[in-house]
Amino acid sequence: MAKQLDYHTIREIFTRFREAAPEPKGELDHVNAYTLVVAVALSAQATDAGVNKATKELFKIADTPQKMLDLGEEKLIEHIKTIGLFRNKAKNVIKLSRILVDDYDGQVPNSRAALESLPGVGRKTANVVLNMWWQFPAQAVDTHIFRFGNRSGVCPGKDVVAVERAIEDHIPADFQLHAHHWMILHGRYHCKARKPLCGTCLIRDLCMFEDKNL
């Protein structure tokens, strides 16, 4: 775990991220808040590309909780069977769809607690939905952010909750909305787990990672 970077260094890091990608976007395809919830829930232990492939046709016919219930669990499974843990995920999608219909008039709630009460929706999923759909500066810590945060010193922490808190406490407010997208994309494509591309990294002179491959 790297030492926590200071304010000025972090500001420079995110200034560079913003200059390189002013409006970073999540890579899960969706058409509304409901399909975003479903897509993020399906993405656990799966790639965004794999989820997008599975939901391409699914969301054409089931883009609301009621339409998903009408489709049914077995037909849902046929669409998502290429995704890991597809049977359990299908059960959760049907359960959360029923709750949304019965308790929320078919609408996706926009508090973290309400989102986390839905089957298959944890804190990370809730934060992604709050951030991407409602433009709330929630920080969804995945493996990419956890790795990058601890290597670089931007947001070190022993677990995802500690990293989330470090993001909120140390990253300047004007970068908070897009912070997790910048870090996810950087971790996914540059600060890779096995062979980080330190030689072409735009923040290599600011990063605390001791094993830079320069």
Side-chain angles (χ1 to χ4, degrees), residues 84-111:
L85 307 175
F86 64 90
R87 292 191 183 280
N88 188 56
K89 290 177 180 179
K91 290 182 184 298
N92 284 334
V93 168
I94 294 299
K95 288 179 182 178
L96 72 84
S97 298
R98 171 55 62 192
I99 291 171
L100 291 177
V101 169
D102 291 347
D103 298 343
Y104 295 97
D105 297 321
Q107 302 299 309
V108 175
N110 62 354
S111 79

Short mmCIF file of all heavy atoms in Angstrom, two decimals, residues 84-111:
data_model
loop_
_atom_site.label_atom_id
_atom_site.label_comp_id
_atom_site.label_asym_id
_atom_site.label_seq_id
_atom_site.Cartn_x
_atom_site.Cartn_y
_atom_site.Cartn_z
N GLY A 84 -21.10 -15.37 -16.19
CA GLY A 84 -20.87 -16.15 -14.99
C GLY A 84 -21.97 -15.98 -13.96
O GLY A 84 -22.54 -14.90 -13.83
N LEU A 85 -22.28 -17.08 -13.24
CA LEU A 85 -23.30 -17.08 -12.19
C LEU A 85 -24.67 -16.67 -12.72
O LEU A 85 -25.47 -16.05 -12.02
CB LEU A 85 -22.89 -16.15 -11.04
CG LEU A 85 -21.51 -16.37 -10.43
CD1 LEU A 85 -21.18 -15.31 -9.40
CD2 LEU A 85 -21.40 -17.76 -9.81
N PHE A 86 -24.96 -17.04 -13.98
CA PHE A 86 -26.16 -16.53 -14.64
C PHE A 86 -27.46 -16.96 -13.97
O PHE A 86 -28.43 -16.20 -13.96
CB PHE A 86 -26.17 -16.92 -16.12
CG PHE A 86 -26.25 -18.40 -16.39
CD1 PHE A 86 -27.47 -19.03 -16.54
CD2 PHE A 86 -25.09 -19.15 -16.53
CE1 PHE A 86 -27.54 -20.38 -16.81
CE2 PHE A 86 -25.15 -20.50 -16.80
CZ PHE A 86 -26.38 -21.14 -16.93
N ARG A 87 -27.51 -18.16 -13.40
CA ARG A 87 -28.76 -18.61 -12.77
C ARG A 87 -29.10 -17.79 -11.54
O ARG A 87 -30.25 -17.36 -11.35
CB ARG A 87 -28.68 -20.10 -12.42
CG ARG A 87 -28.64 -21.00 -13.63
CD ARG A 87 -28.83 -22.47 -13.28
NE ARG A 87 -28.72 -23.30 -14.46
CZ ARG A 87 -29.69 -23.50 -15.34
NH1 ARG A 87 -30.87 -22.91 -15.14
NH2 ARG A 87 -29.50 -24.27 -16.39
N ASN A 88 -28.11 -17.57 -10.69
CA ASN A 88 -28.35 -16.77 -9.50
C ASN A 88 -28.65 -15.32 -9.86
O ASN A 88 -29.53 -14.68 -9.25
CB ASN A 88 -27.12 -16.83 -8.58
CG ASN A 88 -27.38 -16.18 -7.23
OD1 ASN A 88 -28.32 -16.56 -6.53
ND2 ASN A 88 -26.57 -15.20 -6.88
N LYS A 89 -27.97 -14.80 -10.87
CA LYS A 89 -28.21 -13.44 -11.31
C LYS A 89 -29.61 -13.29 -11.88
O LYS A 89 -30.29 -12.28 -11.67
CB LYS A 89 -27.15 -13.01 -12.32
CG LYS A 89 -25.77 -12.81 -11.72
CD LYS A 89 -24.73 -12.47 -12.78
CE LYS A 89 -23.35 -12.28 -12.15
NZ LYS A 89 -22.32 -11.98 -13.17
N ALA A 90 -30.06 -14.30 -12.62
CA ALA A 90 -31.41 -14.26 -13.18
C ALA A 90 -32.46 -14.22 -12.06
O ALA A 90 -33.43 -13.46 -12.13
CB ALA A 90 -31.65 -15.47 -14.07
N LYS A 91 -32.25 -15.03 -11.02
CA LYS A 91 -33.19 -15.02 -9.89
C LYS A 91 -33.24 -13.64 -9.25
O LYS A 91 -34.32 -13.13 -8.92
CB LYS A 91 -32.75 -16.06 -8.85
CG LYS A 91 -32.93 -17.50 -9.27
CD LYS A 91 -32.52 -18.45 -8.16
CE LYS A 91 -32.60 -19.90 -8.61
NZ LYS A 91 -33.97 -20.31 -8.98
N ASN A 92 -32.07 -13.02 -9.07
CA ASN A 92 -32.03 -11.70 -8.45
C ASN A 92 -32.69 -10.63 -9.32
O ASN A 92 -33.38 -9.74 -8.80
CB ASN A 92 -30.58 -11.30 -8.16
CG ASN A 92 -30.01 -12.00 -6.94
OD1 ASN A 92 -30.75 -12.41 -6.04
ND2 ASN A 92 -28.70 -12.18 -6.91
N VAL A 93 -32.48 -10.70 -10.63
CA VAL A 93 -33.10 -9.72 -11.53
C VAL A 93 -34.62 -9.82 -11.46
O VAL A 93 -35.32 -8.80 -11.42
CB VAL A 93 -32.60 -9.90 -12.98
CG1 VAL A 93 -33.45 -9.08 -13.95
CG2 VAL A 93 -31.14 -9.49 -13.09
N ILE A 94 -35.13 -11.04 -11.44
CA ILE A 94 -36.58 -11.22 -11.34
C ILE A 94 -37.09 -10.72 -9.98
O ILE A 94 -38.11 -10.02 -9.89
CB ILE A 94 -36.96 -12.70 -11.55
CG1 ILE A 94 -36.64 -13.12 -12.99
CG2 ILE A 94 -38.44 -12.91 -11.24
CD1 ILE A 94 -37.38 -12.35 -14.06
N LYS A 95 -36.36 -11.03 -8.90
CA LYS A 95 -36.77 -10.59 -7.57
C LYS A 95 -36.76 -9.07 -7.44
O LYS A 95 -37.68 -8.47 -6.92
CB LYS A 95 -35.85 -11.21 -6.51
CG LYS A 95 -36.04 -12.69 -6.27
CD LYS A 95 -35.05 -13.21 -5.23
CE LYS A 95 -35.21 -14.69 -5.00
NZ LYS A 95 -34.20 -15.20 -4.01
N LEU A 96 -35.69 -8.44 -7.93
CA LEU A 96 -35.61 -6.98 -7.82
C LEU A 96 -36.66 -6.32 -8.70
O LEU A 96 -37.20 -5.26 -8.35
CB LEU A 96 -34.19 -6.47 -8.10
CG LEU A 96 -33.62 -6.46 -9.52
CD1 LEU A 96 -34.04 -5.23 -10.31
CD2 LEU A 96 -32.09 -6.50 -9.46
N SER A 97 -36.97 -6.94 -9.83
CA SER A 97 -38.01 -6.39 -10.70
C SER A 97 -39.36 -6.44 -10.01
O SER A 97 -40.15 -5.49 -10.11
CB SER A 97 -38.05 -7.18 -12.02
OG SER A 97 -36.84 -7.07 -12.72
N ARG A 98 -39.64 -7.54 -9.31
CA ARG A 98 -40.90 -7.66 -8.57
C ARG A 98 -40.99 -6.60 -7.48
O ARG A 98 -42.04 -5.97 -7.29
CB ARG A 98 -41.01 -9.07 -7.98
CG ARG A 98 -42.17 -9.28 -7.01
CD ARG A 98 -43.51 -8.90 -7.63
NE ARG A 98 -43.82 -9.74 -8.78
CZ ARG A 98 -44.80 -9.47 -9.64
NH1 ARG A 98 -45.53 -8.37 -9.50
NH2 ARG A 98 -45.03 -10.27 -10.67
N ILE A 99 -39.90 -6.38 -6.77
CA ILE A 99 -39.90 -5.37 -5.71
C ILE A 99 -40.13 -3.98 -6.29
O ILE A 99 -40.89 -3.17 -5.74
CB ILE A 99 -38.56 -5.41 -4.93
CG1 ILE A 99 -38.48 -6.71 -4.12
CG2 ILE A 99 -38.42 -4.19 -4.01
CD1 ILE A 99 -37.12 -6.96 -3.48
N LEU A 100 -39.47 -3.68 -7.42
CA LEU A 100 -39.65 -2.37 -8.05
C LEU A 100 -41.09 -2.15 -8.47
O LEU A 100 -41.64 -1.05 -8.31
CB LEU A 100 -38.70 -2.23 -9.25
CG LEU A 100 -37.21 -2.14 -8.93
CD1 LEU A 100 -36.40 -2.09 -10.22
CD2 LEU A 100 -36.90 -0.92 -8.06
N VAL A 101 -41.72 -3.18 -9.00
CA VAL A 101 -43.12 -3.07 -9.41
C VAL A 101 -44.04 -2.92 -8.20
O VAL A 101 -44.92 -2.05 -8.18
CB VAL A 101 -43.54 -4.30 -10.24
CG1 VAL A 101 -45.05 -4.33 -10.45
CG2 VAL A 101 -42.84 -4.28 -11.60
N ASP A 102 -43.82 -3.75 -7.19
CA ASP A 102 -44.73 -3.77 -6.04
C ASP A 102 -44.53 -2.60 -5.08
O ASP A 102 -45.50 -2.07 -4.53
CB ASP A 102 -44.56 -5.07 -5.26
CG ASP A 102 -45.06 -6.28 -6.03
OD1 ASP A 102 -45.76 -6.09 -7.05
OD2 ASP A 102 -44.75 -7.43 -5.63
N ASP A 103 -43.26 -2.19 -4.88
CA ASP A 103 -42.97 -1.21 -3.84
C ASP A 103 -42.58 0.18 -4.34
O ASP A 103 -42.61 1.14 -3.58
CB ASP A 103 -41.83 -1.73 -2.94
CG ASP A 103 -42.21 -3.02 -2.23
OD1 ASP A 103 -43.41 -3.35 -2.16
OD2 ASP A 103 -41.29 -3.72 -1.73
N TYR A 104 -42.20 0.27 -5.63
CA TYR A 104 -41.70 1.56 -6.13
C TYR A 104 -42.39 1.99 -7.43
O TYR A 104 -41.85 2.81 -8.17
CB TYR A 104 -40.18 1.47 -6.36
CG TYR A 104 -39.38 1.26 -5.10
CD1 TYR A 104 -38.96 -0.03 -4.74
CD2 TYR A 104 -39.05 2.32 -4.26
CE1 TYR A 104 -38.23 -0.25 -3.58
CE2 TYR A 104 -38.32 2.11 -3.10
CZ TYR A 104 -37.91 0.82 -2.76
OH TYR A 104 -37.18 0.62 -1.61
N ASP A 105 -43.59 1.45 -7.67
CA ASP A 105 -44.35 1.82 -8.87
C ASP A 105 -43.55 1.65 -10.15
O ASP A 105 -43.71 2.40 -11.11
CB ASP A 105 -44.85 3.27 -8.77
CG ASP A 105 -45.82 3.48 -7.61
OD1 ASP A 105 -46.64 2.58 -7.37
OD2 ASP A 105 -45.73 4.54 -6.96
N GLY A 106 -42.67 0.66 -10.15
CA GLY A 106 -41.90 0.37 -11.35
C GLY A 106 -40.72 1.29 -11.60
O GLY A 106 -40.04 1.18 -12.62
N GLN A 107 -40.45 2.19 -10.64
CA GLN A 107 -39.35 3.14 -10.78
C GLN A 107 -38.15 2.71 -9.93
O GLN A 107 -38.31 2.10 -8.88
CB GLN A 107 -39.81 4.54 -10.35
CG GLN A 107 -41.00 5.06 -11.13
CD GLN A 107 -40.72 5.17 -12.61
OE1 GLN A 107 -39.72 5.75 -13.03
NE2 GLN A 107 -41.61 4.61 -13.42
N VAL A 108 -36.96 3.07 -10.38
CA VAL A 108 -35.75 2.76 -9.62
C VAL A 108 -35.56 3.85 -8.56
O VAL A 108 -35.51 5.04 -8.90
CB VAL A 108 -34.52 2.70 -10.54
CG1 VAL A 108 -33.25 2.50 -9.72
CG2 VAL A 108 -34.68 1.58 -11.56
N PRO A 109 -35.46 3.48 -7.28
CA PRO A 109 -35.24 4.48 -6.24
C PRO A 109 -33.84 5.08 -6.34
O PRO A 109 -32.93 4.45 -6.89
CB PRO A 109 -35.40 3.69 -4.94
CG PRO A 109 -34.99 2.29 -5.31
CD PRO A 109 -35.48 2.10 -6.73
N ASN A 110 -33.67 6.28 -5.81
CA ASN A 110 -32.35 6.91 -5.93
C ASN A 110 -31.73 7.29 -4.60
O ASN A 110 -31.05 8.30 -4.48
CB ASN A 110 -32.39 8.11 -6.87
CG ASN A 110 -33.30 9.22 -6.39
OD1 ASN A 110 -34.01 9.07 -5.40
ND2 ASN A 110 -33.29 10.34 -7.09
N SER A 111 -31.93 6.43 -3.60
CA SER A 111 -31.12 6.52 -2.39
C SER A 111 -30.27 5.26 -2.31
O SER A 111 -30.68 4.20 -2.80
CB SER A 111 -31.98 6.64 -1.12
OG SER A 111 -32.50 5.38 -0.73
#
